[in-house]
């Protein structure tokens, strides 16, 4: 790799580490060799010791307490007069009411496929499997869970309909059930002009009725694209809630596309990160409350490290540090390890704890 590209790559690594130190010693002209090290010009303006200890790339981010995902629940069937809505903040689970139109409840079932048709004997598809999975989970069995709606499926549907006081047709459509991936938490009624829908309002088929989220408490935050490596899926975290409670969790989702944030003063591309708690029931607090997320990164034990700005680009390629001793200087080639907290792990022949290395003046 050309020296110029190598230096730029190192700068990128430092940025990912979030150390905040400027790599002032790594200089090179675009068309020539690196600038001479301070060692060829005399003693450096300042020194720093080589230290031995643990080096961790843990970072801290500001996050927001909320719920997983957000989606709309749309009216099924032919529409009509809205007679009841699940209240904001309530959690709706499988087979419970989401809303009612003309006094007829629409109930929640779990699944990723939308309920877009009335299912009947002879139908096939993934939506059939979803319905059968829900019926079986509710105890209405006697059929094979597959993608075919059989007479046995219709018989189970009739038993479900009887349990809810409905006409036993053996068919089931979007006027009776809606699918969502899991239990949902009602965020709010859908907007209707300048207000929110309420009982008595008219709804049409396919129009939004409710805005819901997942029922599980999560934390969301953003990192710049250069910091994405510190918040990979599976990274362990500790979240500090507004009341000071500290709860463990992990990064459960990381966006794949960086987008500009909402802050007009900062258009740096950022990636959305989601944290799930080990025990979501303990994550109490008001929605959209600010929290602090400590990302537990890699820890290197008992290693030598120097400030990042102590690194020099050596004329023959690679990196070194300028050791200051006995009134003079010498360059020592080093191998680089972890970058964290403005320092970098180094190893090299003759390098030891307590040595002084040259750094730029502060």
């Amino acid at each position: 790799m050309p020296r110029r590209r190598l230096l730029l790559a190192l700068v990128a690594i430092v940025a990912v580490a979030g150390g905040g130190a400027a790599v002032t010693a790594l200089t090179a002209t675009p068309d020539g060799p690196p600038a001479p090290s301070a060692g060829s010009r005399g003693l450096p303006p300042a020194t720093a010791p080589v230290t031995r200890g643990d080096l961790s790339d843990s970072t801290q981010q500001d996050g927001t307490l909320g719920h997983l995902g957000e989606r709309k629940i749309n009216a099924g069937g032919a529409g009509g007069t809205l007679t009841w809505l699940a209240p904001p903040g309530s959690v709706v689970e499988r087979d419970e009411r989401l809303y009612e139109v003309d006094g007829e409840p629409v109930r929640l079932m779990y699944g990723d496929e939308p309920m877009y048709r009335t299912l009947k004997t002879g139908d096939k598809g993934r939506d059939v499997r979803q319905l059968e999975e829900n019926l079986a989970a509710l105890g209405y069995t006697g059929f094979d869970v597959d993608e075919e709606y059989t007479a046995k499926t219709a018989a189970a549907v009739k038993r479900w309909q009887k349990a809810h006081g409905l006409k036993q047709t053996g068919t089931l459509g979007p006027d009776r059930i809606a699918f969502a991936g899991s239990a949902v938490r009602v965020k709010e009624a859908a907007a209707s002009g300048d207000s929110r829908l309420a009982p008595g309002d008219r709804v049409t088929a396919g129009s939004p009725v409710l805005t819901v989220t997942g029922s599980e408490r999560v934390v969301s935050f953003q990192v710049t694209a250069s910091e994405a490596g510190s918040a990979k899926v599976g990274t362990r975290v500790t979240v500090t809630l507004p009341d000071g409670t500290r709860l463990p969790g992990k990064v459960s989702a990381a966006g794949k596309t960086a987008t500009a944030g909402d802050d007009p003063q900062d258009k740096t591309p950022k990636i959305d990160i989601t944290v799930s708690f080990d025990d979501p029931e303990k994550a109490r607090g008001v929605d959209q409350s600010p929290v602090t997320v400590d990302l537990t990164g890699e820890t290197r034990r008992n290693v030598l490290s120097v400030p990042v700005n102590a690194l020099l680009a050596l004329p023959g390629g690679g990196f070194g540090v300028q050791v200051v001793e006995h009134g003079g200087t010498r360059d020592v080639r080093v191998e680089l390890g972890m970058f964290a907290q403005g320092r970098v792990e180094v190893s090299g022949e003759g390098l030891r704890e307590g040595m002084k290395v040259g750094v730029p003046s502060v």
Side-chain angles (χ1 to χ4, degrees):
M1 178 186 294
R3 179 177 295 110
R4 179 66 174 170
R5 289 179 58 197
L6 182 61
L7 298 181
L8 291 175
L10 180 60
V11 171
I13 293 172
V14 175
V16 169
V23 192
T24 54
L26 302 183
T27 57
T29 59
D31 303 313
S37 72
S40 64
R41 300 191 298 270
L43 294 175
T47 63
V50 177
T51 62
R52 179 176 294 280
D54 297 343
L55 194 63
S56 173
D57 61 357
S58 297
T59 59
Q60 192 173 83
Q61 300 286 345
D62 294 327
T64 303
L65 185 65
H67 287 82
L68 186 63
E70 183 174 307
R71 56 160 294 184
K72 302 291 185 183
I73 298 291
N74 296 327
T81 300
L82 194 65
T83 51
W84 182 84
L85 280 169
S90 62
V91 173
V92 181
E93 299 182 338
R94 192 193 329 254
D95 207 28
E96 294 181 343
R97 295 179 303 162
L98 286 163
Y99 63 94
E100 293 183 4
V101 173
D102 295 337
E104 300 294 335
V106 175
R107 297 179 181 275
L108 177 67
M109 296 291 188
Y110 297 168
D112 296 325
E113 290 289 312
M115 190 63 176
Y116 66 95
R117 58 176 175 166
T118 297
L119 294 172
K120 61 186 182 302
T121 302
D123 285 341
K124 296 181 180 181
R126 288 186 295 177
D127 53 347
V128 173
R129 177 181 289 275
Q130 280 188 171
L131 174 60
E132 291 181 339
E133 288 172 343
N134 281 274
L135 290 171
L138 292 168
Y140 302 100
T141 56
F143 54 86
D144 294 328
V145 176
D146 54 22
E147 295 190 357
E148 184 175 0
Y149 198 111
T150 66
K152 292 181 178 180
T153 307
V157 168
K158 288 180 179 180
R159 294 195 300 274
W160 179 86
Q161 290 172 325
K162 181 179 180 180
H164 291 298
L166 302 173
K167 185 177 180 180
Q168 298 169 49
T169 63
T171 63
L172 198 57
D175 59 332
R176 293 298 183 191
I177 64 172
F179 283 119
S182 62
V184 298
R185 176 185 176 276
V186 177
K187 180 179 179 181
E188 59 191 6
S192 177
D194 296 330
S195 59
R196 297 284 169 188
L197 284 175
D201 291 337
R202 295 284 297 177
V203 294
T204 58
S207 62
V209 176
L210 292 170
T211 299
V212 300
T213 67
S215 59
E216 179 181 334
R217 272 292 175 89
V218 296
V219 167
S220 58
F221 63 94
Q222 292 184 318
V223 295
T224 62
S226 62
E227 296 175 311
S230 67
K232 295 178 181 178
V233 172
T235 300
R236 298 297 303 174
V237 306
T238 300
V239 178
T240 303
L241 300 177
D243 64 0
T245 302
R246 290 172 59 82
L247 297 177
K250 65 179 179 181
V251 174
S252 55
K256 299 185 182 300
T257 303
T259 57
D262 297 329
D263 185 352
Q265 305 300 320
D266 180 11
K267 290 301 182 181
T268 305
K270 293 182 174 65
I271 294 172
D272 293 322
I273 306 295
T274 301
V275 165
S276 295
F277 293 98
D278 290 352
D279 189 350
E281 296 299 321
K282 293 183 178 179
R284 298 185 177 90
V286 178
D287 258 10
Q288 304 305 303
S289 296
V291 299
T292 301
V293 182
D294 292 305
L295 294 153
T296 305
E298 180 185 359
T299 298
R300 301 280 291 172
R301 304 290 184 186
N302 196 35
V303 297
L304 295 176
S305 69
V306 298
V308 170
N309 60 0
L311 295 176
L312 302 171
L314 297 179
F319 299 96
V321 293
Q322 185 186 44
V323 174
V324 180
E325 58 185 0
H326 308 306
T329 66
R330 59 187 176 90
D331 290 346
V332 174
R333 181 177 294 276
V334 296
E335 297 295 327
L336 307 183
M338 174 184 288
F339 286 79
Q341 302 164 356
R343 301 186 67 83
V344 56
E345 175 190 355
V346 291
S347 59
E349 186 175 354
L351 201 64
R352 65 180 184 277
E353 181 181 4
M355 276 184 165
K356 300 292 186 179
V357 295
V359 295
S361 59
V362 179

